Amino acid sequence: MQPEVFQQLVRRYNKPVPRYTSYPTVPVWKENIDQQQYIHLLQQQFQLHNHKEGISLYIHLPFCESLCTYCGCNKKITTNHSVEEEYLGMIEKEFQLYLSLLPEKPVIRELHLGGGTPTFFSPANLERLIHFITGHSTVHPHHEFSIEGHPNNTTKEHLETLYNLGFRRISYGVQDNDPEVQRIINRIQPLENVQRATEEARAIGFVSVNYDLIYGLPKQTLASITRTIEEVIALRPDRIAFYSYAHVPWTSRGQRLFDENDLPSPEEKLQLYLKGKELLTAAGYIDIGMDHFALPNDELFLAWETGKLHRNFMGYTTQHTSMLLGLGVSSISDIGVAFGQNKKSLHEYYECIQRNELPIFKGYFLSEEDKAFRKYILGISCRGYAVFRREDQRLIHKYVLPQLQQPLDDGLIYLNEDGLVVTEKGRQFIRNICSAFDLYLQRDTVKPMFSKAI
């Protein structure tokens, strides 16, 4: 594709669309859902899927020692590490609440520690947490354990402890290497720390080291992002998530701390993205879609190539499970037919756990229509195609096909009465194609609270 044609397409499809880690998306969910109904469905789905495929487990570890002003995650800023003990105690009690509701031990197929900064916790406390979880579970023989780490505080002891616990993948939040960008987003992180953390992980035996990068940050320029990506490529991470910065100061208070005049203009942000993609693909990284790039020997690319890629609240994953349990403050659970989100404040989360109640305050029960269109969105985002059911034809003709006409004209998809296939050109615009199947969006029943694609 000619560069000018690609740029024209990027401009055309640079619209607010979700990342589709869930469908229906979070703005559709309801507060104060019926917990008894949720528990009944949880037990039902667990019996269907636990023994057959295992479950995924996400544990949110919210603490950070300093505030990164760009960050939209649920976090608690503190330098007081005594909070680790109390929080882990609550995680253990929450897991015990689930165990009391389930007829047998969970089979853990996938476990991910996210944050916040999981490596805020000491190696000994991470070991305590994982031993508790695995001591009350069965670990699937083909499991994947992964963690998010901060290059500044991920020590060799962290990595050795995690490796011995079964972790083989680590994702480092790099974001940007430019000193001026780091200063304004309050994330001072010398490149040598990234290099050290990467080399130590590989020497210890981690098979996949991943980086998160962000474009559109304040003070970023074409020259600075070029330097950052060239330095990153030299370290050869196995996967790179190249995210668009979402400026939402009305929900992320830390973003109010810098001047919006420092943000690149929409056209400048587009150029940052295009330069990043150009450099990554020239270096041999494959664009999986939805902001993810992987080397050809990485399991994420192999899963994409063989049609085994899956997507959940942890993003793209190689493990295909129908259930994800989220533990910890603000965590989200996906039980296949319903979603549930934990309380967002530590105080409220602790109160629920101390009352021996599941800390879920918000969620959604999927209708049959939701399940069908969720399957279309998953198929497109993970495998690049969707096969239409006859019973969905009326809705597809009314809401979906009008939205697909432009992608069809632009050569992003092949389309007929039976389904669609995403072309190689269209892989770049997966989110836009998925959004055609978002009936809440097409019916205008939910406001686009998400960021633009670029």
Side-chain angles (χ1 to χ4, degrees):
M1 192 185 341
Q2 294 296 320
E4 59 272 15
V5 174
F6 179 63
Q7 289 193 35
Q8 185 179 35
L9 288 173
V10 170
R11 289 187 181 93
R12 180 175 296 156
Y13 291 97
N14 188 22
K15 302 173 182 177
V17 283
R19 296 185 188 277
Y20 292 111
T21 51
S22 77
Y23 181 79
T25 54
V26 175
V28 178
W29 297 5
K30 311 294 183 185
E31 295 198 11
N32 303 314
I33 63 168
D34 185 334
Q35 283 225 10
Q36 290 309 306
Q37 183 184 358
Y38 183 84
I39 290 169
H40 170 71
L41 292 172
L42 167 73
Q43 293 168 329
Q44 184 184 71
Q45 294 299 303
F46 181 85
Q47 288 182 306
L48 284 172
H49 300 293
N50 182 57
H51 182 70
K52 181 181 176 182
E53 62 191 35
I55 69 168
S56 294
L57 194 64
Y58 172 78
I59 304 176
H60 191 71
L61 302 176
F63 302 109
C64 299
E65 288 193 339
S66 62
L67 175 67
C68 300
T69 53
Y70 65 87
C71 181
C73 299
N74 184 288
K75 67 272 183 185
K76 179 71 174 176
I77 309 303
T78 182
T79 56
N80 177 14
H81 283 262
S82 67
V83 298
E84 296 180 34
E85 294 284 336
E86 182 181 20
Y87 189 77
L88 291 184
M90 295 297 174
I91 292 283
E92 291 166 357
K93 287 181 181 178
E94 184 184 4
F95 193 50
Q96 285 175 320
L97 286 174
Y98 278 108
L99 295 174
S100 71
L101 297 170
L102 302 176
E104 61 184 17
K105 282 185 175 183
V107 177
I108 306 298
R109 183 70 178 262
E110 180 181 32
L111 185 150
H112 183 73
L113 304 182
T117 307
T119 46
F120 172 98
F121 285 73
S122 70
N125 274 332
L126 292 175
E127 184 173 38
R128 164 190 162 177
L129 171 62
I130 301 305
H131 277 164
F132 183 86
I133 297 295
T134 56
H136 292 83
S137 311
T138 300
V139 178
H140 194 282
H142 302 297
H143 65 278
E144 180 180 275
F145 288 1
S146 56
I147 185 171
E148 297 165 15
H150 193 312
N152 283 358
N153 67 12
T154 302
T155 65
K156 188 175 181 180
E157 186 184 358
H158 274 115
L159 294 167
E160 289 172 341
T161 299
L162 291 163
Y163 183 85
N164 291 335
L165 291 168
F167 286 75
R168 296 294 181 269
R169 184 167 71 84
I170 187 163
S171 180
Y172 290 125
V174 175
Q175 321 314 354
D176 191 284
N177 290 338
D178 184 78
E180 179 63 9
V181 176
Q182 290 186 359
R183 182 193 64 78
I184 201 167
I185 65 173
N186 196 39
R187 190 181 178 93
I188 307 301
Q189 182 175 269
L191 178 60
E192 51 265 31
N193 289 0
V194 178
Q195 182 174 357
R196 174 197 54 77
T198 301
E199 291 174 350
E200 287 182 348
R202 286 179 168 149
I204 287 165
F206 281 76
V207 298
S208 189
V209 178
N210 319 146
Y211 291 173
D212 289 345
L213 301 177
I214 299 178
Y215 62 91
L217 290 169
K219 295 291 187 180
Q220 266 184 342
T221 65
L222 205 56
S224 73
I225 205 166
T226 298
R227 284 194 301 273
T228 287
I229 293 180
E230 287 175 344
E231 290 166 347
V232 160
I233 287 169
L235 297 177
R236 213 65 180 162
D238 301 275
R239 303 176 196 173
I240 294 172
F242 190 43
Y243 291 121
S244 168
Y245 168 67
H247 190 61
V248 286
W250 51 92
T251 60
S252 297
R253 288 182 297 175
Q255 295 182 357
R256 302 173 194 169
L257 297 177
F258 54 74
D259 191 332
E260 292 189 18
N261 293 322
D262 291 328
L263 292 172
S265 69
E267 180 60 29
E268 288 170 334
K269 187 177 181 183
L270 170 63
Q271 295 305 318
L272 294 175
Y273 166 74
L274 293 170
K275 174 54 71 173
K277 178 180 169 64
E278 174 194 331
L279 293 169
L280 291 171
T281 53
Y285 287 88
I286 311 298
D287 185 356
I288 303 297
M290 297 272 198
D291 317 309
H292 283 70
F293 296 78
L295 290 175
N297 61 344
D298 187 79
E299 286 189 359
L300 193 72
F301 170 76
L302 299 175
W304 175 80
E305 191 176 44
T306 57
K308 295 179 180 178
L309 197 63
H310 184 51
R311 189 165 178 81
N312 57 27
F313 279 102
M314 295 182 281
Y316 279 126
T317 172
T318 61
Q319 302 295 327
H320 197 299
T321 59
S322 300
M323 284 190 68
L324 182 152
L325 285 185
L327 304 179
V329 63
S330 78
S331 285
I332 292 174
S333 295
D334 173 1
I335 59 174
V337 296
F339 300 112
Q341 182 172 17
N342 283 355
K343 296 281 189 179
K344 290 186 174 182
S345 79
L346 278 176
H347 175 71
E348 291 178 307
Y349 171 73
Y350 286 172
E351 279 190 335
C352 285
I353 300 298
Q354 288 163 342
R355 291 196 303 265
N356 291 318
E357 296 175 3
L358 290 183
I360 292 169
F361 84 104
K362 185 177 185 179
Y364 193 84
F365 299 112
L366 277 71
S367 66
E368 292 305 312
E369 177 185 292
D370 294 331
K371 294 172 193 174
F373 281 77
R374 180 190 195 192
K375 190 173 181 180
Y376 295 138
I377 289 171
L378 274 174
I380 293 165
S381 61
C382 296
R383 291 173 289 283
Y385 67 86
V387 178
F388 300 156
R389 303 191 312 166
R390 184 172 301 172
E391 54 266 48
D392 298 326
Q393 288 289 348
R394 182 186 64 82
L395 289 170
I396 288 171
H397 275 266
K398 183 175 181 179
Y399 294 108
V400 179
L401 294 186
Q403 302 300 320
L404 292 177
Q405 188 58 53
Q406 187 69 59
L408 179 65
D409 293 344
D410 288 332
L412 307 187
I413 57 172
Y414 301 119
L415 178 68
N416 60 30
E417 287 291 311
D418 297 321
L420 71 78
V421 175
V422 179
T423 65
E424 185 171 351
K425 186 197 296 186
R427 272 173 37 204
Q428 175 57 55
F429 307 99
I430 286 285
R431 287 167 62 186
N432 303 83
I433 298 167
C434 287
S435 71
F437 293 83
D438 186 340
L439 297 187
Y440 295 91
L441 198 58
Q442 303 312 330
R443 287 168 173 154
D444 279 333
T445 55
V446 59
K447 293 181 180 179
M449 297 167 62
F450 21 83
S451 65
K452 287 188 176 184
I454 301 300

